[in-house]
């Protein structure tokens, strides 16, 4: 190349200053794009640290009030509640007990911040069953899809009555959206929204979550969660859920499934969310603790990447903290 050659096209012009970079940014984060997953544990007097998720705790019914008020003050979009009961049984009875930990927590949170945040609840049996599966088992130990749907319908009514504005159907049972939607509508909960965990993969990245909910799972969930190698199947599941009446569809995990997320976002006519799961959180926290990466930049970049791939909203354990950075303008 001649020393006198002058490029005609100079894309770097638009990267020259922070102001220019902000002006042409294609993907922006806002606190309202974020949802905070929260664990509430029965039978504890103070929050319990989760060792594999530094900075995340199992809350008490009292401490969760502070957490959701902090989240509301930061302006995030909502909170997704998970219950951790003391007692479990084969059918997950605690999930449909109006005084079970998740339903109690829902009432507490809805009363505290229901006008400021979308109060959401995990609608699945795995935290409540002694075998740790997301459904009830048949006589030979397999998850019984249709019997599980009946339990989900019962859960939906109790959660809606407790004040949940959005039910997160995470069990990956066939027909779960249609079953829950019909139960809600016929019982007068026509305004309660349904979030379908449509493309939920059988992932190794859920490991720390098992500690967070004190999982009793033996074996795996490969007969109902998706195979990590299947891209088209993720889109197919989302389209089925939309047809059954899902108000929002979800891809989970987020970071390793950005192709599926992009496919779903391109095809969906309802909002598309993604869950940045516990293992994704733990890896960044571990690398940052070892000084291998810039924690703040890595957290921000990871969530921007999920939004860029097509997620309208991201569930992330950094939601409140990240929102604070966005509000303070320290991640521009």
């Amino acid at each position: 190349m001649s020393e006198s050659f002058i490029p005609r096209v100079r894309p770097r012009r638009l990267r020259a200053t922070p102001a220019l970079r902000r002006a042409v940014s294609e993907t922006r984060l806002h606190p309202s794009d974020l949802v905070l997953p929260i664990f509430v544990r029965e039978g504890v007097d103070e929050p319990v640290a989760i060792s594999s998720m530094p900075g995340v705790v199992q809350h008490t019914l009292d401490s969760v009030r502070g957490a959701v008020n902090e989240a509301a003050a930061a302006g995030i979009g909502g909170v997704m509640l998970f219950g951790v009961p003391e007692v479990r049984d084969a059918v997950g009875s605690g999930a449909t007990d109006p005084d079970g930990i998740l339903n109690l927590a829902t009432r507490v949170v809805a009363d505290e911040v229901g006008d400021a945040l979308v109060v959401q609840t995990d609608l699945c049996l795995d935290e409540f069953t002694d075998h740790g599966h997301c459904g009830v088992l048949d006589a030979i130990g397999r998850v019984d899809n249709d019997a599980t749907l009946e339990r989900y319908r019962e859960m939906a009514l109790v959660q809606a009555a407790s004040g949940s504005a959005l039910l997160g159907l995470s069990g990956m049972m066939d027909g779960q959206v249609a079953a829950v939607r019909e139960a809600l509508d016929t019982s007068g909960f026509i305004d309660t929204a349904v979030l379908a965990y449509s493309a939920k993969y059988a992932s190794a990245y859920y490991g720390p979550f098992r500690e967070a909910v004190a999982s009793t799972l033996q074996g795996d969930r490969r007969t109902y969660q998706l195979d990590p190698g299947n891209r088209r199947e993720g889109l197919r599941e989302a389209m089925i859920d939309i047809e059954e009446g899902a108000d929002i569809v979800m891809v989970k995990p987020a970071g390793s499934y950005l192709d599926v997320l992009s496919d779903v976002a391109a095809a969906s006519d309802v909002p598309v969310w993604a869950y940045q799961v516990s293992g994704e959180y733990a890896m960044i926290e571990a690398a940052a603790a070892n000084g291998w990466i810039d924690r703040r930049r890595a957290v921000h970049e990871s969530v921007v990447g999920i939004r860029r791939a097509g997620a309208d909203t991201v569930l992330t354990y950094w939601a409140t903290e990240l929102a604070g950075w966005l509000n303070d303008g320290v991640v521009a």
Side-chain angles (χ1 to χ4, degrees), residues 3-232:
E3 291 184 4
S4 63
F5 178 80
I6 300 175
R8 182 179 64 84
V9 179
R10 294 184 181 270
R12 285 184 57 191
R13 289 191 187 108
L14 298 182
R15 305 173 199 149
T17 67
L20 269 171
R21 293 193 293 272
R22 285 194 300 270
V24 299
S25 178
E26 297 176 30
T27 305
R28 303 173 190 271
L29 281 182
H30 186 274
S32 63
D33 301 331
L34 308 172
V35 169
L36 177 68
I38 293 181
F39 305 101
V40 185
R41 179 172 169 179
E42 187 175 25
V44 294
D45 297 324
E46 58 185 23
V48 178
I50 301 168
S51 64
S52 55
M53 300 176 69
V56 181
V57 302
Q58 297 167 326
H59 281 284
T60 70
L61 287 171
D62 286 332
S63 70
V64 75
R65 297 177 190 273
V68 297
N69 275 295
E70 183 183 12
I76 72 169
V79 291
M80 176 65 77
L81 302 177
F82 296 85
V84 185
E86 285 190 286
V87 178
R88 307 173 192 217
D89 61 25
V91 297
S93 299
T96 47
D97 180 353
D99 293 321
I101 185 60
L102 179 55
N103 300 315
L104 279 174
T106 303
R107 294 199 292 275
V108 167
V109 172
D111 287 344
E112 195 77 18
V113 292
D115 292 332
L117 295 173
V118 179
V119 178
Q120 309 164 31
T121 46
D122 180 59
L123 197 158
C124 193
L125 285 171
D126 59 319
E127 296 108 275
F128 300 94
T129 54
D130 54 13
H131 47 74
H133 276 287
C134 298
V136 296
L137 305 183
D138 65 15
I140 59 174
R142 300 173 303 185
V143 175
D144 187 324
N145 190 97
D146 295 0
T148 298
L149 294 183
E150 291 306 310
R151 294 292 292 133
Y152 287 0
R153 287 162 62 89
E154 295 166 3
M155 288 180 70
L157 298 183
V158 177
Q159 290 185 4
S162 297
S164 179
L166 187 152
L167 310 182
L169 277 59
S170 62
M172 288 300 292
M173 296 296 117
D174 293 342
Q176 64 182 16
V177 172
V180 165
R181 184 73 268 163
E182 193 270 344
L184 291 170
D185 290 350
T186 57
S187 297
F189 295 108
I190 59 173
D191 292 327
T192 302
V194 169
L195 161 64
Y197 285 49
S198 300
K200 182 177 180 181
Y201 284 82
S203 173
Y205 291 107
Y206 303 145
F209 182 89
R210 304 282 190 258
E211 179 189 355
V213 297
S215 175
T216 57
L217 179 67
Q218 299 295 317
D220 59 50
R221 298 183 174 127
R222 294 178 186 272
T223 64
Y224 44 103
Q225 295 178 353
L226 300 183
D227 187 293
N230 291 1
R231 177 174 179 171
R232 290 191 302 269

Side-chain angles (χ1 to χ4, degrees), residues 305-325:
I306 297 166
R307 287 276 288 120
R308 188 188 63 243
D312 299 296
T313 293
V314 180
L315 277 73
T316 175
Y317 298 97
W318 289 299
T320 300
E321 184 178 16
L322 177 54
W325 299 341

Side-chain angles (χ1 to χ4, degrees), residues 205 251-259 261 274-277 280 283 302 305-306 309 314:
Y205 291 107
V251 175
K252 177 184 181 182
S256 292
Y257 296 88
L258 297 179
D259 55 340
L261 175 57
Y275 198 145
Q276 186 178 47
V277 300
E280 298 174 85
M283 289 191 299
S302 70
I306 297 166
V314 180

